[in-house]
Amino acid sequence: MALKTEEMILNMGPQHPSTHGVLRLELELEGEIIIGAKPHIGYLHRCFEKHCEAMTYPQVTPYTDRMDYLASMYNEFGYALAVEKLLGIQVPERVEYIRVIMGEFQRIASHLVAIGTYGLDIGAMTPFLYCFRDRERILSLFEQTCGARLLYNYIWVGGLSHDLHPDFINQAKDFIKYFRPKIKELNDLLTNNKIFIDRTANVGILPLDLAINYGISGPNLRASGFKWDIRKDDPYSVYNKFDFEIPIGNGTMGTVGDCWDRYYIRVLEMEESLKIIEQALEQIPEGDVTSAIPKRIKPAVGQVYSRVENPRGELGYFVMSDGSVNPFRVKVKGPSFVHLGIMNELLKGYMIADVIAILGSIDIVLGEVDR
Amino acid sequence: MIYDFFLKITGSNILASIIQSLLPLFIFILPFALFAVWLERKVSAHMQDRLGPMRVGKHGWLQTVADILKLIQKEDIVPNDADKPLFNIAPILVFVGSYAVFAAIPFSGAFIGSNIDLGIIFIIAASGFVVAGILMAGWASNNKYSLLGAMRSAAQIISYEIPTVLVVLTIIMITGTTNLATLSEMQTGHFWNWMIFGGPNFGIAKFIFIPFMIINFIIIYISTLAEVNRTPFDIPEAESELVSGYHTEYSGMKFAMFFLAEYANMFAVSAIVTALFFGGYQSPIGYLGNLFGAHWLIPIEQFIWFTAKGIFFVFVQMWLRWTLPRLRVDQLMAACWKYLIPIAFVNLIIIGLITVL
Amino acid sequence: MKSTEEIFEILKANFGESILELVAAVPVEKFIRINQLEIDKVCLFLRDDQDLLFDSLMNLSGVDDANGKKVASENGDQIISGGTLSVYYHLESTKYRHKLVLKTSAEREKPDIISVSNVWRHADWHEREAYDLLGINFLNHPDLRRILMPYDWEAGYPLRKDYKNPEFYQGMKVPY
């Protein structure tokens, strides 16, 4: 006679060291094998969209910072682009270049956190601190530029709050020189570690058709083997002036679209971001960064959906205007929110230890999921 | 030796035994645990480009004392639905298990808690005791993470005891003794008499032994690493998965006991490796005591050598912990059953054949 | 690459004009308005038609149009009666690189819209969000629960223009 067994429900989070915030996963387990996963979100809901309706257009910018707090620059960037599109205004070229430089620095900083915490999830403590050490230097650059290290309120509709610090370009170049060897160090320490590969290769495989159907974007989509980057495929700002590669996952260590691919895409992307920054620093024109900021933002009735390639994926802003100074509706399509939707699909059949590996490789920020 | 000394002072068998058994706790385990926690923090800090504790005492050497004081003051929280008697006994059991191991560890020629003939067998048996405590803690906490951690831990420790024992068997076959003091005495002289270099006997067999001994050493070091739940085998308390495994629900002094037991265990397994392969308390280069004719110095020197060797292996454990990621539970089992145990068996057979021939 | 007008012609040929309407006289983005009870069929066609292949749903956003009458309720609050709630769909084809905006509306008092979550699984959570914040009822949705707000939030749908915060939630004071 077979023993009677029953599934165990395990609540992972909202207080758990590696759910990257306040995510709660309701896991249905059979032994250590997952047979179902249900994400519960909303613990960090701050009514961003409702707030926006009560604010004027420029007042929304600081709120966007607080969504994906690891990529604040890019959130502002996306919002500014959306409103500029709605207003139909052009911003000076220098502004575009500075936005791109800041955006790419932000991408590196954000990927460093993603990679570092991923190592931490797998149990390697040291790469995490190395990553944070390097990220610290980027944050110092930001601090020098706009006075804030995390929530910048730097990229405004129509311009920027400040011009660059006179020494910024030199320091940025120093950083690039400093950072290139660090990527190699990271690869030696973590990427090519046998245990790390064992833990991540062939785990959490995300097939391409499923990924597109689920709206997955950014590094996670590219890891599944699809060359798709909004910076190249639907260029915004001045991205079409730079020469850079789009790395895609090719299953070096296992299957295309596994956790290792998703991790390694981020490492490669940091390199590409460095390339973009280098070119931008060379080409950056002189000019005034505040001249195009409108005194009073009052777009005509209409709506626009504008998207940017955030470090985590496609960040879209749907902004609707009713002709007043307050936005009628702002809806954010955050990549983290979308990526979390696939968790049930991805987790089935893996073990508890893999939940952490998969969740970490998807790289979510709960501030953006819950908004 | 030490026992006779205490017998002379107190005049009572029982008192002498009690003092002797408490001695390692107070002169060794507690100070060592304090030191090891500090060392761990400093080692990790310097490996990670930071400084670690710097405030309490010079380079933070009093930090762990402060931590222990804090832990003593903390409220002892027992979850409402926990199985209270088991919940309270578990940390004690774990601590007793790891403490009992120290009874048979030969710190020096003059100081061994209990010089029993079955030394190494006793150590393995006593450390098996820890599993019961861990399972108890996991079950009694009434927390799913604790339970999973405890189950993983039990499976892991029991599996990894097999390669450990197989390696120990080869040593027993070669030396013909299970008494650790005798084993240490056999490896006297210089470092080429250590078991890792083929043991004290001379001749062709010694050189044939060396590669097998090195394999043996690697096997036992890996499996003891797993037995004390250190990275890359720290899955029972895998912080990022199971919060902290079987001691998630513990606080205050009970948590401190788990903590203490963990660090005591780290030294215990390093001591076993030292005693079996690296000459125990024997100096690799001879004694100052012999040089100066001061024979009372020798046990002290031996004690220092033993601790130094032990701490070196503890340091290697820390080094590994701060470098390597963590294995998954099935990979861990595969590593044990697919690689370590077969290799250990083959080694056992080959060394057995060599000994017989 | 097909423009909105071309796609509209294709749709008109397949579904007739009764459920479709092209709205081109708006700044920035033109859109096609579709009957709320036929949206799933149209979307399925848009996804699978070999010339269109809208394989990706970029965004799905619910909007309270607030185009009804503002009336005072019994307790003196202003509420909106009549008018519509709308949903905007932003589609994209990763193969042909064309984009399309669809809009569908439903009456505020009975906001039933057919779910497209079986066309694009991506829509699942966005529809839950629209349900949660605007109270749009997506028919055929596999798991229509609140997503951002607590499951036991009883004070209505926050993104509606006439939403009013409750005094208390679970004994906790809400406005602070």
Side-chain angles (χ1 to χ4, degrees):
Chain A
M1 199 182 85
L3 274 173
K4 188 177 166 291
T5 59
E6 56 182 289
E7 298 81 42
M8 180 164 95
I9 302 287
L10 182 72
N11 257 317
M12 194 173 259
Q15 277 105 10
H16 187 280
S18 48
T19 49
H20 293 239
V22 283
L23 168 69
R24 181 175 139 223
L25 280 173
E26 196 181 316
L27 301 172
E28 213 176 315
L29 300 179
E30 208 176 299
E32 282 222 15
I33 310 284
I34 316 273
I35 51 176
K38 222 186 218 180
H40 296 268
I41 62 174
Y43 291 90
L44 212 61
H45 184 49
R46 288 149 299 168
C47 321
F48 166 73
E49 290 166 11
K50 188 75 180 169
H51 270 303
C52 293
E53 292 174 10
M55 298 291 153
T56 61
Y57 284 91
Q59 279 175 336
V60 173
T61 311
Y63 283 98
T64 62
D65 278 343
R66 282 150 181 82
M67 286 191 310
D68 185 347
Y69 42 78
L70 294 177
S72 300
M73 280 291 184
Y74 241 105
N75 294 349
E76 297 166 1
F77 196 173
Y79 176 72
L81 280 178
V83 179
E84 280 157 18
K85 219 168 170 184
L86 199 59
L87 285 168
I89 56 173
Q90 273 291 322
V91 295
E93 196 154 55
R94 182 174 174 85
V95 172
E96 299 280 23
Y97 271 91
I98 295 174
R99 284 178 179 180
V100 167
I101 292 170
M102 290 302 167
E104 293 308 312
F105 268 131
Q106 183 73 81
R107 189 185 308 278
I108 297 175
S110 169
H111 280 351
L112 278 174
V113 177
I115 289 165
T117 50
Y118 193 46
L120 199 63
D121 289 345
I122 303 292
M125 202 70 129
T126 306
F128 171 72
L129 283 135
Y130 285 5
C131 288
F132 266 62
R133 174 194 65 196
D134 300 339
R135 173 173 176 260
E136 209 57 21
R137 292 189 59 140
I138 299 179
L139 295 191
S140 301
L141 280 178
F142 287 156
E143 187 184 12
Q144 193 190 46
T145 312
C146 61
R149 293 171 71 82
L150 196 69
L151 307 162
Y152 311 105
N153 191 14
Y154 180 62
I155 298 176
W156 288 357
V157 175
L160 303 167
S161 72
H162 305 78
D163 201 347
L164 291 179
H165 185 272
D167 198 31
F168 179 87
I169 291 182
N170 281 332
Q171 292 192 15
K173 281 179 179 161
D174 281 350
F175 174 79
I176 294 170
K177 214 180 289 161
Y178 159 86
F179 188 60
R180 280 240 162 82
K182 300 293 172 198
I183 298 181
K184 199 187 157 292
E185 184 186 85
L186 181 73
N187 284 341
D188 290 344
L189 189 62
L190 190 61
T191 314
N192 296 323
N193 184 307
K194 178 83 176 83
I195 298 176
F196 181 75
I197 294 169
D198 278 353
R199 280 296 304 277
T200 53
N202 291 320
V203 169
I205 298 158
L206 176 58
L208 183 58
D209 51 341
L210 199 67
I212 293 178
N213 203 253
Y214 266 94
I216 306 295
S217 52
N220 297 334
L221 180 63
R222 292 193 280 277
S224 293
F226 188 36
K227 223 179 180 106
W228 179 264
D229 189 321
I230 298 166
R231 288 175 293 171
K232 268 246 159 84
D233 290 294
D234 187 9
Y236 52 93
S237 196
V238 284
Y239 271 109
N240 47 9
K241 295 190 181 167
F242 305 120
D243 169 39
F244 62 99
E245 293 293 310
I246 305 169
I248 59 164
N250 42 22
T252 321
M253 295 297 169
T255 320
V256 177
D258 59 8
C259 289
W260 193 87
D261 270 348
R262 282 197 285 274
Y263 158 85
Y264 194 54
I265 288 288
R266 298 197 164 86
V267 179
L268 294 176
E269 268 183 22
M270 293 202 298
E271 197 104 37
E272 298 307 320
S273 291
L274 286 182
K275 267 194 219 164
I276 297 176
I277 296 170
E278 262 180 343
Q279 294 170 41
L281 288 175
E282 290 304 321
Q283 300 170 16
I284 185 166
E286 290 298 317
D288 188 3
V289 297
T290 49
S291 61
I293 299 177
K295 291 280 168 299
R296 186 178 160 80
I297 300 180
K298 210 173 163 186
V301 181
Q303 89 280 348
V304 68
Y305 177 76
S306 155
R307 55 185 186 161
V308 290
E309 180 80 22
N310 172 284
R312 265 155 266 282
E314 176 183 324
L315 174 71
Y317 283 89
F318 174 72
V319 184
M320 215 171 156
S321 163
D322 61 348
S324 71
V325 291
N326 303 331
F328 184 73
R329 171 89 166 95
V330 177
K331 149 103 192 180
V332 178
K333 180 232 171 159
S336 303
F337 177 81
V338 177
H339 293 172
L340 208 50
I342 203 172
M343 281 320 271
N344 184 32
E345 208 75 44
L346 264 187
L347 288 179
K348 262 182 215 159
Y350 291 105
M351 304 179 86
I352 294 183
D354 295 328
V355 174
I356 304 302
I358 294 169
L359 191 66
S361 73
I362 290 286
D363 184 25
I364 50 165
V365 168
L366 263 295
E368 189 185 66
V369 175
D370 295 337
R371 298 194 291 284
Chain B
M1 288 173 284
I2 288 264
Y3 177 72
D4 302 327
F5 175 68
F6 288 127
L7 195 60
K8 227 187 301 174
I9 296 178
T10 58
S12 149
N13 281 342
I14 300 168
L15 265 181
S17 324
I18 290 175
I19 294 174
Q20 194 192 3
S21 60
L22 285 178
L23 214 52
L25 178 68
F26 288 111
I27 71 159
F28 196 77
I29 302 179
L30 285 178
F32 171 76
L34 291 181
F35 171 73
V37 173
W38 174 81
L39 184 72
E40 172 110 61
R41 298 174 76 163
K42 287 310 250 190
V43 166
S44 65
H46 287 293
M47 282 182 183
Q48 294 167 346
D49 254 10
R50 23 181 208 110
L51 290 171
M54 289 296 281
R55 299 284 170 88
V56 194
K58 195 170 169 56
H59 279 266
W61 69 278
L62 280 172
Q63 184 64 48
T64 11
V65 179
D67 283 347
I68 293 285
L69 284 178
K70 177 200 75 179
L71 280 174
I72 292 172
Q73 290 172 48
K74 273 199 162 176
E75 188 188 353
D76 181 31
I77 302 166
V78 181
N80 258 345
D81 292 337
D83 191 333
K84 286 190 186 68
L86 287 185
F87 188 82
N88 291 330
I89 293 170
I92 300 169
L93 213 59
V94 170
F95 184 70
V96 166
S98 60
Y99 172 47
V101 170
F102 280 80
I105 288 178
F107 285 99
S108 85
F111 177 46
I112 171 164
S114 164
N115 192 4
I116 45 173
D117 282 339
L118 281 171
I120 183 70
I121 306 287
F122 168 78
I123 285 177
I124 289 164
S127 64
F129 209 52
V130 174
V131 185
I134 288 175
L135 264 182
M136 229 181 234
W139 176 257
S141 300
N142 194 14
N143 175 324
K144 285 163 184 169
Y145 289 110
S146 300
L147 186 60
L148 279 171
M151 284 185 338
R152 284 177 174 192
S153 183
Q156 175 180 338
I157 295 180
I158 291 169
S159 314
Y160 275 85
E161 253 169 26
I162 298 168
T164 316
V165 173
L166 287 173
V167 171
V168 168
L169 277 180
T170 62
I171 302 288
I172 295 172
M173 270 192 325
I174 296 170
T175 58
T177 177
T178 55
N179 185 326
L180 282 173
T182 322
L183 199 65
S184 299
E185 283 302 329
M186 285 171 75
Q187 302 180 50
T188 189
H190 292 286
F191 60 85
W192 54 81
N193 283 344
W194 292 356
M195 291 308 288
I196 187 97
F197 299 116
N201 52 333
F202 279 96
I204 206 124
K206 180 180 167 80
F207 292 100
I208 302 172
F209 273 147
I210 292 176
F212 297 109
M213 276 310 182
I214 288 172
I215 294 170
N216 261 348
F217 162 69
I218 292 169
I219 291 172
I220 198 171
Y221 197 75
I222 292 174
S223 46
T224 52
L225 212 57
E227 272 189 67
V228 293
N229 303 335
R230 295 286 294 183
T231 316
F233 307 107
D234 66 338
I235 51 167
E237 45 203 86
E239 177 197 319
S240 55
E241 293 152 31
L242 299 181
V243 192
S244 46
Y246 55 86
H247 56 68
T248 306
E249 295 287 350
Y250 284 88
S251 65
M253 213 42 218
K254 286 184 195 144
F255 168 73
M257 282 177 102
F258 280 117
F259 208 53
L260 216 59
E262 188 189 324
Y263 281 90
N265 261 336
M266 274 167 70
F267 187 81
V269 296
S270 305
I272 296 168
V273 172
T274 311
L276 290 180
F277 287 97
F278 289 89
Y281 49 71
Q282 301 292 356
S283 154
I285 45 170
Y287 295 104
L288 284 176
N290 279 335
L291 205 65
F292 301 135
H295 286 283
W296 54 269
L297 205 59
I298 293 178
I300 296 170
E301 272 185 62
Q302 286 176 334
F303 183 77
I304 292 169
W305 276 114
F306 189 78
T307 338
K309 288 175 194 171
I311 287 176
F312 173 74
F313 286 112
V314 170
F315 169 73
V316 175
Q317 287 180 355
M318 291 175 179
W319 188 359
L320 289 174
R321 169 164 179 185
W322 297 107
T323 313
L324 295 177
R326 177 185 307 122
L327 283 168
R328 202 171 55 208
V329 73
D330 56 325
Q331 292 165 345
L332 174 97
M333 286 301 169
C336 178
W337 295 97
K338 282 193 190 155
Y339 301 102
L340 293 184
I341 291 179
I343 296 172
F345 254 118
V346 171
N347 242 358
L348 181 71
I349 292 164
I350 293 175
I351 290 177
L353 283 175
I354 297 172
T355 334
V356 169
L357 299 174
Chain C
M1 278 292 250
K2 280 191 166 53
S3 67
T4 306
E5 284 81 4
E6 286 168 321
I7 296 166
F8 180 70
E9 290 307 318
I10 297 175
L11 285 179
K12 209 161 71 177
N14 281 280
F15 291 94
E17 216 163 336
S18 56
I19 59 167
L20 307 164
E21 180 197 347
L22 175 68
V23 184
V26 285
V28 197
E29 273 179 359
K30 300 166 222 171
F31 56 83
I32 299 174
R33 189 191 290 277
I34 292 172
N35 186 311
Q36 77 270 27
L37 298 177
E38 312 280 343
I39 182 84
D40 61 329
K41 282 180 226 151
V42 178
C43 286
L44 196 64
F45 172 79
L46 286 170
R47 186 191 73 178
D48 289 341
D49 187 80
Q50 283 310 310
D51 293 332
L52 300 173
L53 280 182
F54 282 103
D55 52 358
S56 160
L57 173 71
M58 288 194 286
N59 190 21
L60 185 155
S61 28
V63 176
D64 179 5
D65 295 323
N67 48 4
K69 270 206 307 284
K70 290 200 172 62
V71 293
S73 69
E74 302 95 62
N75 51 12
D77 300 332
Q78 218 179 41
I79 59 163
I80 300 172
S81 122
T84 53
L85 299 174
S86 302
V87 175
Y88 285 87
Y89 304 82
H90 291 80
L91 319 181
E92 185 191 25
S93 163
T94 53
K95 189 171 177 204
Y96 299 120
R97 305 279 159 91
H98 46 216
K99 297 183 198 164
L100 182 65
V101 187
L102 304 179
K103 180 185 178 182
T104 172
S105 303
E107 283 164 44
R108 191 184 191 84
E109 270 67 39
K110 191 175 172 293
D112 290 344
I113 292 176
I114 302 267
S115 164
V116 295
S117 62
N118 55 347
V119 183
W120 300 285
R121 299 287 301 140
H122 182 192
D124 184 343
W125 277 31
H126 282 295
E127 284 178 352
R128 273 179 70 188
E129 192 190 316
Y131 165 74
D132 186 6
L133 301 179
L134 287 151
I136 297 169
N137 186 25
F138 288 95
L139 305 172
N140 299 343
H141 189 281
D143 181 26
L144 200 62
R145 290 176 293 137
R146 283 195 180 269
I147 184 165
L148 292 172
M149 303 296 285
Y151 295 123
D152 55 355
W153 191 258
E154 277 157 4
Y157 305 104
L159 271 187
R160 290 202 181 179
K161 296 284 180 186
D162 57 351
Y163 170 79
K164 197 164 174 299
N165 252 346
E167 280 292 303
F168 290 98
Y169 164 68
Q170 301 268 2
M172 293 176 279
K173 208 164 176 306
V174 175
Y176 52 91

